[in-house]
Amino acid sequence: MTELGLESGRVRVVPYDDAWPALYAAEMARLAPLLAAAGVRVVLEHTGSTAVPGLAAKPIVDILAGLAAEAGREPAIAALRAAGYVHRGEQGIPGRDFFRRGEPRQYHLHLTRVDSQFWQDHRLFREWLRAHGDTAAEYAALKQALAERFPTDREAYIDGKSAFVASVLRRAAQVHHGRGVAVP
């Protein structure tokens, strides 16, 4: 079993761990009553590489939290802070609030609107990788190479993945819109 957590300023990609879905489920079981008690209704989904069976990933569980269009962000931000998450603001992505939890960081949470492009892209990318093992293998190889090249430069690691992610999203969107492929 891979240990969950990654130190700040480090990039490390590890083999897939069968425990990741259970860690996500445990975090949802912890978060759901705290959010409900604060009157916050969000749709929570496991996203990122730890949500794709067999895919190597940074040992951090990503959570996609979707707010309804009419819901206020501030109550959600306050509830997530009370749940132990550190709010990091938009961090360059308008319409997305980023949170992290754990030292070293173990959970990343992305708060956005359910109908936002950010929400749609994250779900579409995850579903494409789940359905296309060849693409997931290419992505894993790219991430491993970038992690080896930039072990202390998170921004360079992220930038190095951008073109690949964009190309997968274009292909997935064409298939999704062209053939009516459902994305849960």
Side-chain angles (χ1 to χ4, degrees):
M1 179 172 164
T2 305
E3 187 174 318
L4 191 63
L6 184 62
E7 305 78 19
S8 289
R10 301 290 306 161
V11 177
R12 180 170 41 96
V13 174
V14 300
Y16 181 79
D17 189 330
D18 290 329
W20 288 337
L23 291 168
Y24 164 78
E27 185 65 2
M28 290 312 87
R30 187 183 81 81
L31 273 180
L34 298 172
L35 292 168
V40 175
R41 294 185 56 201
V42 295
V43 176
L44 298 168
E45 294 197 14
H46 189 185
T47 191
S49 295
T50 62
V52 180
L55 183 58
K58 293 185 314 236
I60 300 171
V61 173
D62 281 291
I63 300 165
L64 187 61
L67 282 171
E70 68 280 357
R73 288 175 44 240
E74 289 309 317
I77 291 169
L80 289 166
R81 282 183 173 151
Y85 280 84
V86 176
H87 184 223
R88 306 284 297 215
E90 290 184 332
Q91 291 203 313
I93 302 175
R96 186 258 343 220
D97 286 285
F98 177 71
F99 299 81
R100 59 186 274 186
R101 187 173 83 75
E103 282 301 326
R105 57 199 159 110
Q106 299 172 328
Y107 296 91
H108 285 171
L109 189 141
H110 310 270
L111 179 68
T112 190
R113 300 286 173 194
V114 170
D115 59 352
S116 71
Q117 193 65 51
F118 185 88
W119 173 268
Q120 293 170 24
D121 286 350
H122 274 255
R123 295 176 78 238
L124 186 59
F125 188 70
R126 177 196 63 204
E127 292 309 311
W128 186 269
L129 292 179
R130 284 177 173 172
H132 298 88
D134 56 334
T135 306
E138 286 178 57
Y139 189 48
L142 173 63
K143 292 190 313 170
Q144 190 63 52
L146 290 168
E148 289 170 10
R149 185 172 174 198
F150 303 112
T152 59
D153 189 344
R154 194 172 130 275
E155 294 305 318
Y157 171 82
I158 291 168
D159 289 345
K161 298 186 308 179
S162 296
F164 182 88
V165 171
S167 72
V168 169
L169 285 172
R170 279 192 302 276
R171 189 172 22 171
Q174 288 172 346
V175 170
H176 176 71
H177 296 301
R179 294 193 212 154
V181 175
V183 175

